[in-house]
Amino acid sequence: QVQLVQSGGGLVQAGGSLTLSCAASGRTFSGYFAGWFRQAPAKEREFVAGISWSGSSTVYADSVKGRFTISRDNAKNTVTLQMNSLKPEDTAVYYCARGSSGYFGPDSYRYNVWGQGTQVTVSS
């Protein structure tokens, strides 16, 4: 049983772009806030971006504002993270996740369904 399946990621040079996608099985995302997190070696998992069910509200970590864009297609049950102007410090394993009912925010413990993670490596 797989609820969130991630795709995308890989190796890119600094300044380049990558797109991460997260596909939900069934109605996993329906009505929920969705987010992206990342975890670099020896660091805690950190919030990257989030989006409300309607897509009208988004929130970004300061480190990615102006460079990353989160979006969702509810009809296709997908959430996407477009990453532009990538920096070496963006290197991490990225995870998509679904927030708990009614939650809109950056706290990882309030997310109850997680993707498998995908590696993003940005070379200098």
Side-chain angles (χ1 to χ4, degrees):
Q1 180 181 343
V2 178
Q3 293 182 278
L4 299 180
V5 179
Q6 298 177 218
S7 62
L11 175 65
V12 66
Q13 293 183 342
S17 299
L18 285 173
T19 301
L20 304 182
S21 295
C22 181
S25 62
R27 299 171 61 192
T28 302
F29 276 142
S30 183
Y32 293 89
F33 184 76
W36 287 92
F37 292 78
R38 67 186 182 187
Q39 187 166 20
K43 292 186 177 181
E44 297 294 322
R45 186 169 297 184
E46 65 174 337
F47 176 81
V48 176
I51 186 168
S52 64
W53 168 245
S54 68
S56 62
S57 297
T58 57
V59 60
Y60 297 91
D62 288 341
S63 60
V64 306
K65 286 181 179 178
R67 300 188 298 120
F68 291 11
T69 302
I70 187 171
S71 61
R72 70 193 305 168
D73 185 337
N74 293 336
K76 297 181 179 180
N77 297 312
T78 59
V79 176
T80 300
L81 185 68
Q82 177 65 48
M83 305 183 292
N84 299 322
S85 302
L86 284 162
K87 305 174 181 179
E89 50 263 46
D90 294 319
T91 296
V93 176
Y94 284 70
Y95 300 87
C96 64
R98 187 196 75 182
S100 59
S101 182
Y103 183 69
F104 184 106
D107 299 329
S108 62
Y109 70 90
R110 296 297 303 275
Y111 290 76
N112 52 18
V113 182
W114 293 81
Q116 80 278 17
T118 185
Q119 178 70 46
V120 171
T121 302
V122 184
S123 62
S124 61

